[in-house]
Amino acid sequence: SVCTQENGYYCGPATVQQTLKRINGSAPSQSTIASGIGTTTAGSNLASMEKNEKSNSGRNLVFPADF
């Protein structure tokens, strides 16, 4: 299933949520993910997203630089 952004700056949390659901079958809420990766109204940091993915999936996932 597709994880729709909960607001205009949750692209990062929605992407992390979608990936974790695909890998693990479940994922935290977007607001929990946003808090964990430091999302602000300006967006999310790719390095934080990758670190969160690795710690929650056990895999070393890398997002493209133009994400």
Side-chain angles (χ1 to χ4, degrees), residues 25-66:
S26 63
S29 69
Q30 289 180 27
S31 59
T32 298
I33 294 168
S35 177
I37 64 176
T39 300
T40 68
T41 55
S44 303
N45 178 284
L46 285 177
S48 295
M49 291 170 58
E50 291 169 354
K51 183 178 178 182
N52 183 279
E53 290 275 358
K54 185 175 182 178
S55 67
N56 284 292
S57 71
R59 298 182 186 188
N60 191 19
L61 304 173
V62 178
F63 293 100
D66 62 350

Side-chain angles (χ1 to χ4, degrees), residues 7-32:
N7 62 43
Y9 53 91
Y10 268 19
C11 180
T15 300
V16 171
Q17 186 182 53
Q18 179 75 33
T19 305
L20 291 175
K21 281 186 176 183
R22 176 76 172 133
I23 293 170
N24 298 337
S26 63
S29 69
Q30 289 180 27
S31 59
T32 298

